[in-house]
């Protein structure tokens, strides 16, 4: 059976070339064909010898997951349902802005965290994705928009990566970290670490390593101002309390510097976490931990079978104004891709 090359580190690629009798320096050339040019056909790798191309064809493959469905929203958000070799499926989303956009990638088939407001959480965990399956999601998006060879950060439309799709990234730390190192490598896809954001529900033991091992941006799914409310909607809070999560955030920021703001995602749920008492408690909590923080206020996107309702516009704007008065940025996220169930919290790979 041929071995898949996407997802191998540079060191692993060198080892593979050594195994077939080639010099390790060929790894950089092959890396650039795969990740800079997006090439999947060994025969088109013109600066490799015919003998090497023949050996690569015999032993390896460069593939993409199968695109089961592709949907385009009225607001130009695009969603792919992707299927891997074992027929497991995930969803990947591209969210465009005027001159750039973010690819929202998944890290697991399903999710074990089970947040009550999240559609993915209603689909139980099946398995982790490999580094190759994570990287390939971005490559599918690149294929769709024709962004090969890798353009500069200034000219690319697929400019950002948000690890906010299906799954909890820090439950799959090794493969996620490996994938993000590949995606940010300057010889290939070359997405700047400042344009990559990893979002977690708060897996405390691994938060510091997002800074020490990766150096990418951090987002925390907070969604409540205290442990009582957070535990009602996020069972993970029974294991890692808010105070533990924020202490871990302090360690992240000690490495990255206070100028690297941590984004706290806050889903606005009607008459649950959206009152003035809630925002006052939230501000008090943030002041206690003295974090460089900003908030992303997220209107709730309904999905079939969920009992929560979105907060009213008046409540959301009042909440935002209170946070801004306390010195925190608190933009209100514009919901994207709702008509194709591609918005925050709506991804699910079964019965899609």
């Amino acid at each position: 059976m041929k071995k898949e090359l996407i997802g191998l580190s540079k060191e692993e690629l060198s080892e593979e070339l050594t195994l077939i009798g080639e010099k390790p320096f060929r790894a950089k050339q092959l890396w650039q064909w795969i990740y800079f040019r997006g090439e999947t056909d060994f025969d088109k790798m013109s600066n490799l010898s015919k003998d090497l191309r023949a050996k690569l064809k015999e032993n390896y493959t460069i593939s993409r997951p199968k695109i089961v469905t592709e949907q385009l929203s009225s607001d130009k958000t695009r969603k792919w349902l992707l299927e891997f070799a074992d027929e497991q499926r995930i969803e990947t989303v591209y969210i465009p802005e005027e001159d750039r956009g973010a690819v929202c990638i998944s890290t697991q088939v399903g999710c074990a965290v089970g947040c009550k407001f999240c559609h993915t959480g209603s689909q139980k965990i099946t398995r982790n994705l490999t580094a190759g399956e994570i990287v390939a999601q971005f490559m599918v998006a690149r294929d769709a928009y024709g962004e090969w060879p890798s353009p500069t950060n200034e000219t690319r439309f697929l400019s950002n990566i948000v690890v906010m799709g299906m799954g909890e990234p820090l439950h799959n730390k090794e493969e996620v970290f490996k994938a993000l190192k590949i995606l940010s490598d300057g010889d290939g896809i070359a997405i700047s670490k400042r344009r990559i954001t990893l979002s977690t529900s708060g897996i405390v033991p691994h938060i510091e390593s997002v800074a020490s091992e990766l150096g990418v941006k951090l987002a925390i799914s907070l969604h409540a101002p205290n442990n009582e409310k957070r535990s009602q909607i996020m069972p993970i809070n029974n294991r890692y309390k808010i105070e533990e999560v924020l202490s871990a955030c302090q360690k992240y920021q000690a490495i990255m510097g206070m100028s690297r703001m941590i984004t706290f995602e806050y889903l606005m749920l009607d008459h649950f976490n959206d009152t003035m008492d809630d925002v006052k408690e939230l501000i008090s909590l943030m002041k206690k931990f003295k974090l460089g923080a900003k908030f992303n206020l997220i209107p709730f996107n309904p999905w079939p079978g969920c009992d929560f309702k979105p907060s009213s516009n008046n409540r959301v704007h009042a909440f935002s104004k209170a946070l801004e008065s306390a010195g925190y940025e608190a933009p209100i996220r514009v919901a994207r891709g709702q008509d194709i169930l591609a918005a925050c919290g709506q991804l699910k790979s079964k019965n899609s």
Side-chain angles (χ1 to χ4, degrees):
M1 184 176 178
K2 294 183 180 181
K3 187 169 186 176
E4 175 62 57
L5 292 182
I6 292 177
L8 297 185
S9 67
K10 276 183 173 176
E11 294 74 21
E12 290 169 333
L13 203 54
S14 294
E15 291 170 6
E16 291 296 329
L17 288 171
T18 301
L19 288 174
I20 60 172
E22 293 291 332
K23 299 294 185 183
F25 78 87
R26 294 291 183 192
K28 185 173 181 179
Q29 293 175 303
L30 185 54
W31 181 276
Q32 290 176 332
W33 279 109
I34 296 170
Y35 295 118
F36 181 75
R37 297 185 177 278
E39 187 56 68
T40 59
D41 186 348
F42 293 114
D43 285 331
K44 294 181 180 179
M45 299 181 182
S46 54
N47 64 345
L48 302 182
S49 68
K50 287 185 178 180
D51 180 57
L52 173 52
R53 281 180 269 167
K55 286 191 282 188
L56 289 171
K57 284 174 65 177
E58 182 182 354
N59 294 285
Y60 302 103
T61 185
I62 302 169
S63 62
R64 302 285 194 265
K66 175 184 175 183
I67 299 174
V68 180
T69 59
E70 182 175 344
Q71 295 174 280
L72 186 64
S73 169
S74 58
D75 63 21
K76 306 303 181 184
T77 297
R78 188 178 296 209
K79 183 173 77 168
W80 295 270
L81 176 64
L82 303 178
E83 183 177 283
F84 300 111
D86 63 354
E87 299 185 346
Q88 294 295 333
R89 298 176 175 184
I90 54 89
E91 290 187 321
T92 303
V93 176
Y94 173 62
I95 308 159
E97 303 296 340
E98 279 190 22
D99 58 347
R100 59 185 177 84
V103 180
C104 180
I105 59 178
S106 297
T107 57
Q108 296 179 303
V109 180
C111 184
V113 177
C115 298
K116 304 302 181 185
F117 50 78
C118 181
H119 201 195
T120 307
S122 67
Q123 175 184 337
K124 302 304 180 183
I125 185 70
T126 301
R127 68 169 175 86
N128 289 331
L129 297 186
T130 65
E133 290 168 337
I134 295 167
V135 171
Q137 294 173 60
F138 187 82
M139 299 179 87
V140 166
R142 270 265 179 101
D143 292 345
Y145 287 89
E147 286 203 341
W148 302 108
S150 293
T152 65
N153 277 328
E154 289 72 30
T155 60
R156 61 181 64 174
F157 284 101
L158 279 67
S159 58
N160 293 54
I161 291 173
V162 288
V163 190
M164 298 181 182
M166 295 172 58
E168 164 53 62
L170 296 185
H171 277 165
N172 186 19
K173 175 180 177 288
E174 288 189 13
E175 295 300 312
V176 169
F177 280 32
K178 184 180 180 183
L180 294 183
K181 288 174 182 177
I182 292 171
L183 289 163
S184 62
D185 186 278
D187 290 329
I189 290 172
I191 299 294
S192 166
K193 291 180 180 180
R194 288 185 171 271
R195 293 181 178 270
I196 299 175
T197 301
L198 185 149
S199 176
T200 176
S201 59
I203 311 303
V204 168
H206 299 321
I207 288 175
E208 183 179 354
S209 63
V210 176
S212 62
E213 296 182 36
L214 282 180
V216 302
K217 290 183 176 180
L218 176 67
I220 300 290
S221 293
L222 190 61
H223 308 311
N226 58 54
N227 286 311
E228 181 183 0
K229 286 191 175 184
R230 194 167 189 260
S231 291
Q232 289 180 48
I233 56 174
M234 299 181 69
I236 195 71
N237 197 72
N238 293 318
R239 183 169 184 183
Y240 303 117
K241 301 298 184 186
I242 289 178
E243 293 78 11
E244 295 176 77
V245 174
L246 297 185
S247 292
C249 288
Q250 288 178 320
K251 294 176 182 177
Y252 167 91
Q253 212 152 46
I255 296 170
M256 299 300 295
M258 289 296 287
S259 62
R260 184 65 67 90
M261 292 286 183
I262 297 171
T263 299
F264 288 93
E265 297 163 338
Y266 198 96
L267 188 66
M268 302 296 294
L269 300 173
D270 187 43
H271 288 90
F272 178 78
N273 63 356
D274 62 351
T275 69
M276 286 299 97
D277 286 340
D278 289 318
V279 74
K280 288 176 184 176
E281 191 172 4
L282 185 59
I283 291 167
S284 177
L285 183 68
M286 288 294 129
K287 296 295 185 184
K288 177 182 176 181
F289 283 87
K290 299 178 181 178
L291 290 165
K294 60 181 179 180
F295 288 86
N296 191 358
L297 302 184
I298 308 171
F300 174 62
N301 299 303
W303 47 271
C306 186
D307 294 330
F308 288 109
K309 295 180 180 179
S311 299
S312 68
N313 286 335
N314 287 341
R315 281 178 178 261
V316 175
H317 283 279
F319 206 95
S320 174
K321 186 176 180 181
L323 284 169
E324 289 175 348
S325 296
Y328 298 102
E329 290 182 44
I332 300 166
R333 183 186 291 179
V334 177
R336 305 293 298 273
Q338 286 182 307
D339 55 334
I340 57 172
L341 289 180
C344 180
Q346 291 184 317
L347 302 189
K348 189 177 182 182
S349 63
K350 293 184 178 179
N351 302 317
S352 295

